[in-house]
């Protein structure tokens, strides 16, 4: 299977293997890599996957996309990435909350956030790709994070041979707990630095470094090249397709659905990577009907899905679901490419960078709306939903998950659709203890992580994940803050 850039206008040129796509991250023309065709997943195949543990489901799905990878090696990498010592009790458990609401918990990995699902396997895929493409240089991973990606990437790449990693985060855009998790990161090949501004400033800074020829040459002279671990990398996206298939298998195994029954999914969305992976699963043939795109007060996607205009020229809100505080959802480009083709994608992306907005045709909008529903949740609604879900459904959700639950509830009350729905849960409540405690009834006295974990344990009657408690006693290693135009000084 070959991969093509979303901005490539000539479908016979510049195709690359999956190893090359993973090694490059962003395509040289600024587009994102997509497989030239989407493999088919039959219902029979789904039924056989249902009999396998998560790591084997992952091997099967990944090998359909990464056709140049040796399947035995993929199987080994999936076992290492998703095994019991990294994901205790299984990689993506599905928890029944009500008769129609099933919570797909993607935060049982080492950093307690859904980014682990991709970032525990991605470094292994890149390592293999370097060997497969006979690369002699080191890879330098650059990450812009609004919180959870940074820690998950650091943990995933830590002490991997032939790879260094630098993580940039917006100085006031992450929680104290997220900051502490990153600042205390262990490993010889890691660096962490804060950037003045918001997530988009950090992300644009990373994009600028990637597209700067002079910096690429400078890296070349120093014996390395830049690569990405952000959700624009196909190596991040492909592993996320797996848990949608896995959730469907688990619903089958639990007798909640019969083979072929349609389900809905609802996804708390920022950069559009997670929900787009679900769309690919649907395109493969997994019986998914509606996809509910849940946003917080930064409702740029809600407006797009409802009206066809993507407009990032608006006020940016800092919310209690910071990993979704995004005005440029990079992976939306991949959906546009599938729905509208390369010319239209190139036009929209050019308009987005020139004017900060674009509008798609009626025809494209109709296609989009035949699958996607856009909803958003204000800060007050998110908090109220978190409290209601905890008190009345006995389910403790984090703030991002609560945005999704609120949007799901709104969708049901608008449409009356009682289809069984997988609502994706993207972080442990203990990653956002301040806002979770405030929402369920007690505003904490300060933001000190140790106090917050204790308080949430007391209020909820649950236990903090060991991975988070352990962070509290580690020394802080990284304290640097830079302005966005100076981000490269951290690398050279
Ligand atoms: C990254 C993240 C999201 C958003 O996922 P996208 O793939 O960027 O849409 C939602 N919730 C949490 C906790 C995250 O870390």
């Amino acid at each position: 299977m070959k991969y093509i850039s979303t901005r490539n206008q000539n479908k016979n040129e510049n195709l690359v293997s999956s190893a090359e796509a993973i090694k490059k991250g962003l395509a040289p023309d600024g587009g994102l890599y997509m497989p030239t065709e989407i493999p088919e997943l039959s219902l029979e195949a789904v039924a056989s996957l249902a009999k396998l543990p998560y790591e084997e489901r992952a091997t099967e799905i990944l090998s359909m996309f990464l056709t140049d990878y040796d399947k035995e090696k993929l199987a080994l990498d999936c076992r290492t990435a998703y095994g019991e010592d990294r994901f205790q009790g299984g990689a993506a458990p599905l928890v029944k909350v009500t008769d129609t609401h099933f919570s797909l918990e993607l935060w049982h990995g080492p950093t307690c956030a859904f980014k682990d699902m991709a970032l525990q396997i991605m470094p292994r895929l890149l390592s293999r790709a370097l060997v497969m493409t006979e690369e002699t240089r080191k890879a330098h991973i650059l990450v812009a994070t609004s919180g959870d990606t940074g820690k998950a990437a650091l943990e995933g790449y830590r002490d991997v041979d032939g790879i260094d990693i630098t993580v940039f985060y917006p100085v006031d855009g992450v929680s104290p707990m997220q900051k502490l998790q990153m600042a205390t990161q262990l490993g010889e090949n890691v660096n962490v630095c804060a950037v003045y501004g918001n997530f988009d400033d950090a992300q644009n800074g990373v994009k600028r470094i990637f597209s700067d020829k002079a910096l690429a040459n400078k890296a070349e002279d120093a014996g390395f090249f830049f690569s990405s671990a952000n959700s624009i990398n196909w190596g991040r996206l492909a592993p996320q397709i797996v848990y949608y298939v896995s959730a469907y298998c688990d619903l089958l195994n639990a007798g909640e659905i019969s083979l072929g029954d349609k389900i809905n999914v609802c996804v708390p969305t920022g950069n559009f990577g997670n929900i787009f992976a679900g769309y690919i699963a649907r395109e493969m043939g997994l019986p998914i009907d509606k996809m509910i795109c849940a946003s917080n007060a930064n409702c740029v996607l809600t407006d797009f899905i409802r009206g066809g205009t993507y407009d990032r020229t608006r006020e940016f809100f800092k919310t209690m679901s910071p990993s979704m505080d995004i005005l440029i959802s990079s992976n939306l480009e991949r959906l546009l490419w599938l729905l509208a083709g390369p010319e239209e994608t190139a036009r929209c992306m050019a308009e987005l960078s020139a004017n900060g907005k674009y509008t798609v045709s009626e025809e494209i909008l109709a296609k989009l709306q035949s699958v996607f529903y856009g909803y958003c949740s204000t800060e007050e609604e998110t908090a109220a939903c978190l409290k209601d879900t905890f008190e009345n459904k006995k389910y403790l959700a984090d703030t991002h998950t609560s945005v999704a639950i609120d949007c799901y509830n709104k969708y049901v009350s608008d449409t009356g659709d009682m289809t069984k729905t997988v609502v994706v849960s993207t972080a442990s409540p203990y990653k956002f203890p301040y806002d979770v405690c405030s929402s369920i009834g007690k505003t904490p006295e300060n933001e000190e992580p140790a106090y917050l974990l204790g308080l949430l344990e007391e209020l909820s009657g649950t236990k903090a994940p060991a991975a988070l408690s352990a962070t509290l006693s580690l020394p802080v290693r990284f304290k640097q803050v830079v302005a966005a135009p100076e981000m490269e000084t951290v690398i050279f």
Side-chain angles (χ1 to χ4, degrees):
M1 178 177 293
K2 290 293 182 187
Y3 286 76
I4 187 169
S5 164
T6 48
R7 303 201 188 162
N8 184 346
Q9 306 298 317
N10 181 344
K11 63 179 179 2
N12 299 315
E13 270 175 26
N14 300 321
L15 300 186
V16 299
S17 66
S18 65
E20 284 168 305
I22 288 170
K23 182 169 127 184
K24 287 198 168 83
L26 201 65
D29 61 11
L32 311 184
Y33 282 114
M34 278 292 289
T36 51
E37 71 215 280
I38 293 187
E40 201 177 314
L41 183 69
S42 67
L43 288 179
E44 295 70 46
V46 174
S48 354
L49 289 174
K51 301 194 183 78
L52 305 176
Y54 190 89
E55 49 268 41
E56 290 175 40
R57 292 173 185 169
T59 306
E60 293 305 319
I61 300 293
L62 283 176
S63 68
M64 293 168 83
F65 288 95
L66 311 182
T67 49
D68 49 333
Y69 280 68
D70 179 280
K71 196 168 171 184
E72 292 302 309
K73 289 179 181 152
L74 266 184
L76 177 66
D77 290 344
C78 288
R79 276 199 298 278
T80 318
Y82 299 118
E84 188 65 24
D85 54 334
R86 285 166 203 267
F87 285 86
Q88 278 149 32
L94 192 66
V95 175
K96 184 169 181 169
V97 179
T98 70
D99 285 344
T100 52
H101 168 187
F102 296 82
S103 185
L104 179 60
E105 294 185 347
L106 301 179
W107 41 263
H108 291 267
T111 75
C112 308
F114 110 91
K115 303 292 193 291
D116 287 333
M117 297 303 299
L119 284 166
Q120 282 300 309
I121 184 103
M122 161 89 190
R124 290 164 233 283
L125 300 179
L126 178 62
S127 259
R128 302 261 183 224
L130 295 180
V131 175
M132 287 158 73
T133 58
E134 296 175 350
E135 182 56 63
T136 53
R137 299 165 300 172
K138 278 185 107 175
H140 194 114
I141 308 293
L142 293 182
V143 180
T145 181
S146 52
D148 291 344
T149 311
K151 178 63 186 180
L154 289 163
E155 200 51 51
Y157 281 98
R158 159 185 173 186
D159 294 329
V160 171
D161 274 350
I163 304 181
D164 293 317
I165 175 166
T166 302
V167 168
F168 294 100
Y169 68 89
V171 68
D172 294 317
V174 304
S175 76
M177 177 53 111
Q178 288 175 319
K179 225 175 248 186
L180 184 67
Q181 278 190 297
M182 288 190 275
T184 56
Q185 177 64 42
L186 301 172
E188 291 308 308
N189 61 339
V190 302
N191 196 5
V192 176
C193 181
V195 179
Y196 293 109
N198 63 33
F199 171 69
D200 288 334
D201 294 313
Q203 176 159 269
N204 286 335
V206 164
K207 283 187 177 169
R208 179 178 57 76
I209 295 172
F210 274 127
S211 58
D212 187 326
K213 277 261 164 4
L215 290 178
N217 290 338
K218 203 168 163 186
E220 190 78 39
D221 292 343
F224 67 89
F225 68 98
F226 291 118
S227 187
S228 136
N230 276 4
S231 62
I232 50 176
N233 190 306
W234 181 254
R236 275 282 301 281
L237 235 143
Q240 300 188 33
I241 301 167
V242 177
Y243 49 73
Y244 289 96
V245 179
S246 180
Y248 193 90
C249 291
D250 289 347
L251 284 170
L252 270 180
N253 289 344
E256 293 286 350
I257 56 171
S258 309
L259 191 62
D261 285 353
K262 292 211 168 175
I263 61 167
N264 292 340
V265 303
C266 175
V267 187
T269 298
N271 224 359
F272 210 76
N274 195 351
I275 193 168
F276 182 71
Y279 184 74
I280 302 246
R282 187 183 188 277
E283 287 288 287
M284 291 173 79
L286 191 73
I288 293 174
D289 191 16
K290 302 302 183 205
M291 306 197 69
I292 303 152
C293 177
S295 301
N296 62 23
N298 295 293
C299 56
V300 61
L301 286 166
T302 318
D303 294 346
F304 176 61
I305 292 168
R306 294 183 172 198
T309 297
Y310 191 94
D311 185 357
R312 65 152 308 205
T313 59
R314 60 176 72 207
E315 191 182 346
F316 176 82
F317 298 106
K318 275 188 5 182
T319 73
M320 61 174 147
S321 47
S323 298
M324 297 159 68
D325 290 347
I326 287 172
L327 291 181
I328 304 181
S329 293
S330 306
N331 278 295
L332 190 60
E333 178 168 349
R334 287 189 157 110
L335 179 66
L336 268 182
W337 184 82
L338 282 179
L339 296 179
E343 275 172 38
E344 186 65 1
T345 304
R347 178 189 71 79
C348 291
M349 291 305 120
E351 280 192 22
L352 184 64
S353 70
N355 311 319
K357 57 180 144 189
Y358 61 83
T359 301
V360 297
S361 69
E362 286 296 323
E363 188 196 339
I364 302 302
L365 181 59
K367 276 197 201 172
L368 182 73
Q369 291 177 341
S370 68
V371 180
F372 289 93
Y373 281 69
Y375 281 91
C376 55
S377 179
T378 65
E379 292 292 90
E380 295 72 29
E381 289 170 334
T382 303
C385 176
L386 203 155
K387 182 177 165 73
D388 170 67
T389 308
F390 176 61
E391 288 177 356
N392 300 319
K393 296 170 186 158
K394 307 285 172 255
Y395 187 76
L396 185 67
D398 92 292
T399 47
H400 303 74
T401 306
S402 186
V403 167
I405 298 173
D406 184 47
C407 291
Y408 169 62
N409 292 341
K410 287 174 176 164
Y411 168 82
V412 171
S413 87
D414 279 359
T415 61
D417 185 353
M418 297 307 281
T419 305
K420 291 190 174 165
T421 301
V422 169
V423 181
V424 177
S425 174
T426 48
S428 158
Y430 283 90
K431 278 212 92 165
F432 301 92
Y434 187 93
D435 292 305
V436 172
C437 287
S438 307
S439 302
I440 63 177
K442 182 166 169 26
T443 304
E445 284 151 24
N446 59 62
E447 294 203 45
E448 210 266 302
Y451 157 73
L452 288 176
L453 293 190
L455 183 65
L456 185 53
E457 287 187 330
E458 193 186 308
L459 291 177
S460 70
T462 62
K463 187 126 187 53
L468 287 181
S469 323
T471 308
L472 301 174
S473 49
L474 292 172
V476 170
R477 292 178 66 195
F478 303 102
K479 293 178 181 159
Q480 197 179 357
V481 191
V482 296
E486 276 134 42
M487 283 162 60
E488 57 267 34
T489 60
V490 178
I491 301 158
F492 291 100

